[in-house]
Amino acid sequence: MRLIGVLLILVVFFIGIGFLIHMCSKHRYQLKYYSKKRKIEICPIDKSQ
């Protein structure tokens, strides 16, 4: 029973991350991830690049 709960949590987590990435790309935002402090930053994409 515990294994099913852990698998369910993992599936929900990855679906949430996928939804976040999908919404960011749809509205022209980018995700930046910094591993030292586990900082996630969402900012608009520059049109100059």
Side-chain angles (χ1 to χ4, degrees), residues 11-46:
V11 168
V12 169
F13 173 76
F14 284 114
I15 288 174
I17 294 294
F19 182 72
L20 179 64
I21 292 171
H22 172 73
M23 292 307 291
C24 284
S25 66
K26 184 177 178 181
H27 295 291
R28 304 211 23 96
Y29 282 87
Q30 65 182 353
L31 233 72
K32 292 182 181 178
Y33 177 73
Y34 303 102
S35 63
K36 291 285 184 180
K37 297 287 183 178
R38 293 185 182 94
K39 180 180 176 183
I40 297 175
E41 184 177 315
I42 300 173
C43 56
I45 296 174
D46 283 338

